Amino acid sequence: MGGLNRVLDNKIILSTLCNYAPQFFKNELKVLGIDPDETLPVSPPETLPSNADALVEIAKSPEDWVIKSPNLSGGKGVYILKTLSPSERRDILSKAKANPKQFAYQKLVRIGRIPVAKKDKGNTYHYANLAADIRMWAFFGAGANNKLPRL
């Protein structure tokens, strides 16, 4: 049986890429003109513990935070507080305050965006910014001929 997974969702791979690979491949990177000591490290978003103290911190600047229901997937249960109306934001924060251990709290990350042409109902084109998921995906094979992961 094969499968598909975003590489950066796997915390072991993310840790390896962020913390260990730049130092391990330091000489090879320098040959390519990249100095790991002078570049900003890739890192996962800041994450607060799942407790009431996290909500005190979030209340200081709610537009900078994302609240996630860790038992859901496919974007369900992900609340980007910046995009919610004031009443929706209050509702989500109330749910989180009622049971803070049931949610994950992450700092909002500015993600890659690409310009796209979008046609409206009047067949007129407008430009819009579309969020682009630029994370690598790993495919791992099924059967005797596809044993190794492929990026």
Side-chain angles (χ1 to χ4, degrees):
M1 173 180 277
L4 170 69
N5 193 10
R6 285 187 296 237
V7 171
L8 293 183
D9 283 352
N10 182 314
K11 302 304 184 231
I12 295 170
I13 295 173
L14 179 60
S15 178
T16 301
L17 290 173
C18 296
N19 299 319
Y20 305 109
Q23 294 308 313
F24 184 81
F25 293 105
K26 188 175 197 167
N27 294 332
E28 289 88 344
L29 289 169
K30 284 187 177 183
V31 169
L32 295 171
I34 302 168
D35 186 349
D37 296 327
E38 294 180 6
T39 57
L40 293 174
V42 174
S43 62
E46 177 184 346
T47 302
L48 297 176
S50 295
N51 60 34
D53 293 339
L55 294 162
V56 172
E57 182 66 27
I58 290 170
K60 294 175 186 175
S61 58
E63 64 282 348
D64 292 336
W65 293 94
V66 177
I67 296 179
K68 298 180 177 183
S69 296
N71 60 338
L72 300 174
S73 64
K76 293 181 180 174
V78 176
Y79 305 103
I80 303 170
L81 298 181
K82 183 177 190 167
T83 65
L84 301 178
S85 70
S87 64
E88 291 171 318
R89 192 181 295 169
R90 279 191 300 275
D91 289 345
I92 297 305
L93 288 169
S94 293
K95 286 179 186 178
K97 285 178 186 174
N99 204 345
K101 292 184 179 188
Q102 294 299 312
F103 295 92
Y105 309 104
Q106 289 183 332
K107 191 90 167 196
L108 181 64
V109 175
R110 307 229 185 285
I111 62 171
R113 302 188 71 77
I114 56 172
V116 294
K118 183 178 176 185
K119 189 187 283 189
D120 64 18
K121 291 179 183 176
N123 285 331
T124 304
Y125 284 96
H126 299 279
Y127 288 102
N129 267 328
L130 180 66
D133 188 345
I134 56 175
R135 295 173 287 187
M136 276 192 289
W137 289 78
F139 297 88
F140 51 98
N145 296 331
N146 297 310
K147 294 180 181 177
L148 299 176
R150 305 277 187 243
L151 296 181

